Amino acid sequence: MAAGFQGYLAGKAPAEIGSSDVKRFLSHIAVEKKVSASTQNQAFSALLFFFRHVLDRDLADISETVRASPRRRLPVVLSRQEIRRVFAHLQGVYLLMAKLIYGCGLRIQECADLRVKDIDFERGTLTVRSGKGDKDRVTVLPESLKMELQLHLAGARRIFDQDFRDGRAEGVALPDALERKYPNAGREWAWFWVFPAPAMSDDPRSGKHRRHHIHVSNLQRSFKEAARRVEKIDRNASVHSLRHSFATHLLEKGYDIRTIQSLLGHSNLQTTMIYTHVAGRNLLGVISPLDTP
């Protein structure tokens, strides 16, 4: 971006560069280069740093700069039939993780970070802790997954018992400062991963030999391969498409948009409203005058 600014000024001496040059350059890349809003903001941050720390000057008012328009991308949503066909090509732990992501509206990292204590079978809820924006939220736990999840946790319990029976494990990693406050909590079953990795490894930050959760890249690869094997899915579907599909399918069933916002953990309702553009039903409930007798 610095080279682009220098080329735009045609070799103008640094001492002669002013705020008007920055204003014209930012408008130029927005109007003629058609860069995205994030790219324009990145260019502004770089130039602000250049002025303050290289030229030792502050930028004057550039409020009249033409702003690049934010580009809104519609999410990739799969139909229920497409999701069932993708699931048919998944197996084992990756199938269970994909079902949880779709059934609970999780982000992929939120699924990987789940602890045993986050699942409440009696209440039928799943708690997401320290999600995006470091927020906790509660979402629905599908009734159809309870038995499968309990069987999976029985296997995870065997891994947990084996780790500490051998005396090799030093306890799972804990969030934030909890490890200092409760040094033995990482050895408790409640804090163990729902989806533990198949083998232990050294923690690069603490140097401790412990078991981590399954890496999200493994699920991403498995899902991509499964989607590729399904005929007639010509969109760039990813694991995150399952979260988009969760929201869209709830909207199509008539659930309130604010309920969906809460389940997804969106701070802004406008973020959730994007699903109204991809839902496959008349969300307004309006009957066209052409259809009325």
Side-chain angles (χ1 to χ4, degrees):
M1 189 59 68
F5 183 57
Q6 185 180 30
Y8 178 76
L9 297 179
K12 191 173 182 179
E16 300 174 0
I17 298 174
S19 298
S20 60
D21 296 310
V22 174
K23 186 188 304 184
R24 287 189 294 108
F25 175 71
L26 293 176
S27 298
H28 163 74
I29 62 175
V31 176
E32 298 182 30
K33 297 296 184 180
K34 301 187 184 302
V35 301
S36 66
S38 59
T39 300
Q40 189 190 40
N41 288 336
Q42 186 180 42
F44 171 71
S45 298
L47 291 172
L48 184 62
F49 180 89
F50 174 70
F51 264 73
R52 287 180 175 175
H53 300 284
V54 178
L55 300 182
D56 197 24
R57 304 204 311 264
D58 282 328
L59 280 173
D61 182 35
I62 58 170
S63 58
E64 296 179 3
T65 302
V66 176
R67 306 300 295 175
S69 300
R71 298 172 185 172
R72 184 169 65 175
R73 309 286 189 195
L74 291 179
V76 175
V77 174
L78 300 174
S79 69
R80 293 173 182 80
Q81 294 76 17
E82 288 173 329
I83 289 174
R84 282 195 289 269
R85 291 201 291 270
V86 172
F87 284 176
H89 293 287
L90 290 169
Q91 58 185 347
V93 66
Y94 299 128
L95 174 59
L96 179 56
M97 292 179 78
K99 285 181 177 179
L100 265 184
I101 289 171
Y102 172 58
C104 307
L106 304 179
R107 299 177 178 91
I108 185 171
Q109 191 63 54
E110 292 172 345
C111 182
D113 287 341
L114 284 174
R115 314 272 183 159
V116 172
K117 68 186 185 64
D118 297 333
I119 300 174
D120 190 329
F121 288 102
E122 289 188 11
R123 295 179 59 202
T125 61
L126 184 149
T127 301
V128 176
R129 303 185 190 277
S130 300
K132 191 173 182 179
D134 198 26
K135 295 178 298 183
D136 294 354
R137 74 177 189 278
V138 176
T139 185
V140 61
L141 177 66
E143 189 71 29
S144 60
L145 280 185
K146 286 185 177 180
M147 182 66 72
E148 188 175 351
L149 198 51
Q150 286 171 335
L151 289 174
H152 169 79
L153 286 177
R157 179 67 198 227
R158 288 192 290 272
I159 295 174
F160 171 82
D161 291 339
Q162 184 66 44
D163 283 352
F164 294 105
R165 187 183 307 120
D166 293 345
R168 297 178 298 158
E170 298 187 62
V172 297
L174 297 180
D176 303 325
L178 282 176
E179 196 157 9
R180 292 192 300 272
K181 189 174 183 180
Y182 305 107
N184 294 319
R187 295 175 175 269
E188 296 175 5
W189 165 241
W191 282 98
F192 198 64
W193 306 112
V194 172
F195 300 107
M200 288 192 291
S201 60
D202 292 333
D203 190 325
R205 288 174 295 184
S206 66
K208 292 183 177 181
H209 192 66
R210 58 182 22 152
R211 192 176 296 273
H212 300 276
H213 57 63
I214 287 178
H215 200 279
V216 295
S217 62
N218 296 328
L219 174 58
Q220 289 169 329
R221 281 195 299 269
S222 297
F223 186 90
K224 277 288 187 181
E225 176 60 22
R228 187 189 64 80
R229 296 172 64 184
V230 175
E231 295 181 2
K232 298 181 180 178
I233 295 185
D234 54 1
R235 287 150 290 159
N236 189 28
S238 67
V239 178
H240 202 63
S241 300
L242 296 175
R243 175 174 157 90
H244 293 320
S245 302
F246 165 86
T248 304
H249 296 167
L250 285 182
L251 197 59
E252 291 173 341
K253 285 186 176 181
Y255 285 94
D256 178 72
I257 190 72
R258 290 199 176 274
T259 299
I260 299 172
Q261 176 192 7
S262 176
L263 293 174
L264 292 174
H266 287 161
S267 299
N268 193 327
L269 184 62
Q270 292 301 314
T271 306
T272 316
M273 289 294 291
I274 189 72
Y275 299 108
T276 63
H277 296 279
V278 291
R281 62 181 283 268
N282 185 349
L283 297 173
L284 298 177
V286 174
I287 299 176
S288 168
L290 186 63
D291 297 333
T292 55

